[in-house]
Amino acid sequence: MRAIAIMNNKGGVGKTVTAINLADILVRDHGKRVVLVDCDGQANLTRFFAPCMDADPGEAVTTADILTGDCEPIWSDNLLPVREGLALLPSSSGLYDLDVDAIKDGVSAPENLRHFAESAREDDEADFLLFDCPPGYTVASVAALLAADEVVIPVTADAFSIAGVMAVWKQLRTIQRTRPGLRATALLTQTRRADVVTAGEEMLRNLGVPVFDAKIRRTDKVPESTMSLSPLAEYSPGSAAARDYRIWVRELLMMGGVIRGR
Ligand SMILES: Nc1ncnc2c1ncn2[C@@H]1O[C@H](COP(=O)(O)OP(=O)(O)OP(=O)(O)O)[C@@H](O)[C@H]1O
Ligand SMILES: [Mg+2]
């Protein structure tokens, strides 16, 4: 099993769109078993795959429950089935409560998410565990980084987004002291034919950040697909971004569990 955190400190760079389409393509094209973990209190991923839950998770176990330990003892009993091969651990406003409690009382248990990932690995019931992180450091995003063996950092070609990559990169260095196997790679998203994209990629490489060869082009089909709650391969399979995500997923799979890193 590969546990991948999709993270950038910067908001709006395409983390959730990447999580959605990575999960969908892994299941649809490659027959993989995927578990998505929504680590973001904004719950965009949850709204996409389980719109009925919206802000109210009802009886469902959420990521916040896993973090507090208020969940079923068997990891897979906590999941919400989405479709064959795809399950979700949904988000809730409980993630915001956790952050407030962590600040107020200084208590948090990020290792609970790592235990969840370890149980999934031991049971061999999932091929991929994907964490959709919020922008910035929260209890859940730190927990995801600690639970993951790989980090994908979506980035747009602009200085603010690249600064977000560098912030994550710096934190990963600290985590790598205890977990040297943790690898991270940047994925350029929302690209277009422009010198600034080439310059952004060059800047990342010069800063020592590995970058995927595949890039995801900007197209209106992406926001349209989120409005229709359909992944790109279903909503607009011929669109540039749908094709790019498929090419990127093949690159990710070819890395065979080891994403390049330094
Ligand atoms: N390739 C693309 N082409 C066009 N628009 C895109 C593309 N990728 C993402 N977007 C749009 O950019 C916006 C941000 O995307 P997304 O929500 O995935 O970012 P995010 O990093 O998860 O944001 P947040 O940090 O708030 O969680 C959305 O409106 C989405 O539709
Ligand atoms: Mg998001």
Side-chain angles (χ1 to χ4, degrees):
M1 189 192 81
R2 293 170 68 175
I4 303 178
I6 301 169
M7 170 67 178
N8 188 331
N9 263 359
K10 180 82 175 73
V13 292
K15 295 182 289 294
T16 302
V17 164
T18 297
I20 289 168
N21 289 290
L22 170 58
D24 176 64
I25 293 166
L26 284 171
V27 175
R28 184 184 298 271
D29 292 0
H30 303 280
K32 302 291 183 193
R33 300 161 303 170
V34 177
V35 173
L36 279 164
V37 180
D38 193 342
C39 295
D40 188 348
Q42 296 180 90
N44 295 336
L45 187 71
T46 301
R47 284 205 182 89
F48 186 91
F49 281 114
C52 56
M53 285 188 52
D54 207 350
D56 177 14
E59 292 299 301
V61 177
T62 67
T63 306
D65 297 325
I66 298 291
L67 282 161
T68 56
D70 185 15
C71 56
E72 297 297 328
I74 298 173
W75 76 279
S76 50
D77 286 349
N78 294 296
L79 302 175
L80 198 69
V82 174
R83 64 178 213 242
E84 181 71 36
L86 185 62
L88 172 73
L89 188 58
S91 168
S92 63
S93 57
L95 285 176
Y96 292 139
D97 299 335
L98 264 185
D99 292 332
V100 172
D101 290 347
I103 293 165
K104 211 160 44 87
D105 306 327
V107 190
S108 74
E111 66 277 6
N112 283 344
L113 199 59
R114 186 161 46 79
H115 296 155
F116 175 84
E118 280 164 4
S119 304
R121 177 167 283 120
E122 277 164 25
D123 274 1
D124 196 24
E125 283 178 27
D127 301 306
F128 283 84
L129 197 53
L130 305 178
F131 302 100
D132 179 30
C133 293
Y137 293 107
T138 64
V139 171
S141 62
V142 170
L145 290 179
L146 294 174
D149 355 89
E150 308 169 33
V151 183
V152 169
I153 315 173
V155 54
T156 53
D158 68 87
F160 301 153
S161 178
I162 290 172
V165 175
M166 296 321 293
V168 176
W169 193 246
K170 200 169 149 217
Q171 297 303 325
L172 288 176
R173 294 264 184 200
T174 312
I175 297 173
Q176 276 168 334
R177 278 189 216 132
T178 48
R179 303 195 38 234
L182 183 69
R183 295 286 177 260
T185 309
L187 172 68
L188 276 154
T189 67
Q190 304 174 44
T191 67
R192 64 247 178 244
R193 252 183 231 277
D195 290 345
V196 69
V197 175
T198 320
E201 182 171 3
E202 222 173 271
M203 188 188 282
L204 284 169
R205 290 190 195 276
N206 289 339
L207 289 165
V209 181
V211 184
F212 284 104
D213 291 334
K215 293 169 202 41
I216 313 300
R217 281 170 284 180
R218 183 163 71 193
T219 147
D220 285 343
K221 295 295 171 199
V222 173
E224 285 172 28
S225 73
T226 63
M227 297 289 279
S228 77
L229 302 181
S230 313
L232 282 164
E234 195 175 291
Y235 180 76
S236 179
S239 65
R243 281 183 278 155
D244 293 343
Y245 270 117
R246 281 189 150 125
I247 291 167
W248 170 61
V249 173
R250 282 204 295 274
E251 186 180 350
L252 187 80
L253 285 171
M254 284 208 327
M255 285 174 169
V258 182
I259 291 190
R260 294 165 299 170
R262 295 183 186 189

